Structures are given as C-alpha cells and as structure tokens.
Amino acid sequence: ATATPTPTISPTASPSPVDEDAEAALEVYREFWAAVTDARSIPDATLPALSRYGSGTALTNEQEFLIALEREGVAYEGEPELKPEVTQTETSPIPAVTVTDCIDSSDWRPIRLDTGESAAAPGQEQRFYTVSRVERFDDDWFVVEVETDRSRTC
C-alpha cells in the first residue's frame, strides 16, 4: 500500500496596514462618488453623505459646483463608471492614499431641468482622468482633494 501524503496547511498572511489603508480609502472614494452622483441628480449641495465622505477642497469644490448647477437649473442623470486604482500610499505624517481613476461619464449627463435637453459642453470628453487624495483623520477616511484632467482621455 502506498501512503497518501498529508496536505500541509499554510497560514494565511494577514493583510498589511498599507493594504488595509488602501482598501479603506478605495471604499470611501467609491462612497464619495456615490454621494456626488446622488447630489448632482437633484442638485443638492447639503446632502449629508457629501460631508461624510468628503472634506477639504474635494468637498468645497463639489458644493460650489452643485450650487452652480442649482442656479443654472441643471442636474445630472445616469451614473458615471469608475475604475479607481490606488497609485500611492503614505503612512506619515498622516495616513493618505492617492487614487487614480478613469471616469467614463457617457451614461452620466447634465440636463436642463426645464426642457430635459443636454447641458453638456460641446466637444467635452466623456472619459477623463482624476487623481484624488484620501486621508485618514482619527479612524475615518475622507476624500480631501480631486484633480480632474480632461486633457487626457483614457
């Protein structure tokens, strides 16, 4: 009779703090964009989820944009398609993660609320890059900066 080898069980590696930071930051990034999508569909600069997931210039710039949308009678319909990737992590002086994304807005369009017609700028790219900074304050992560580069398509 031949002996069957006993399988060895390898311990699973615990995720590193950097991996956990990256995952937490990506989750907050996605939640921030979900809040942006919801807020732009109304438009509503006071939507609580915006300040739950956004802070700094990311929050103030979005709120200013939403106020302009409301003043102009424009809202967004549909949803953007996100493809975020963590491109950098920092642990000091504060935990921070850089997220690069290619946002496809072909199914997320600005419309005039009074007519339902498109309010999109002529010739504006439907796919564009963003680079966002997500930082941890105490135990919570926030998107603090979003830089959009419409000159580069993806």
Side-chain angles (χ1 to χ4, degrees):
T2 58
T4 307
T6 307
T8 54
I9 300 174
S10 304
T12 331
S14 298
S16 73
V18 170
D19 292 341
E20 290 175 355
D21 285 354
E23 284 303 313
L26 274 176
E27 179 62 28
V28 166
Y29 175 85
R30 288 182 187 101
E31 292 294 341
F32 177 74
W33 275 99
V36 166
T37 302
D38 289 347
R40 288 187 185 185
S41 72
I42 302 171
D44 181 1
T46 65
L47 192 71
L50 287 171
S51 58
R52 168 62 191 94
Y53 300 108
S55 186
T57 58
L59 177 60
T60 56
N61 289 348
E62 185 58 34
Q63 288 173 324
E64 289 170 5
F65 185 73
L66 288 161
I67 290 167
L69 287 178
E70 186 176 8
R71 183 177 55 245
E72 296 166 12
V74 173
Y76 276 64
E77 65 179 8
E79 293 183 6
E81 182 182 329
L82 308 176
K83 294 182 182 164
E85 293 180 7
V86 170
T87 51
Q88 182 177 350
T89 56
E90 302 169 32
T91 55
S92 135
I94 60 170
V97 173
T98 300
V99 177
T100 303
D101 200 350
C102 172
I103 297 178
D104 184 346
S105 64
S106 11
D107 291 327
W108 190 44
R109 298 166 303 280
I111 57 161
R112 300 199 180 285
L113 292 171
D114 57 351
T115 64
E117 294 176 5
S118 173
Q124 190 171 52
E125 286 297 331
Q126 301 285 314
R127 295 166 54 105
F128 53 91
Y129 279 101
T130 62
V131 177
S132 301
R133 183 171 175 86
V134 185
E135 296 179 349
R136 187 175 75 203
F137 299 99
D138 296 323
D139 292 331
D140 294 318
W141 288 88
F142 296 91
V143 177
V144 296
E145 187 177 326
V146 177
E147 294 293 325
T148 301
D149 185 354
R150 286 192 179 271
S151 69
R152 291 177 49 203
T153 61
C154 45

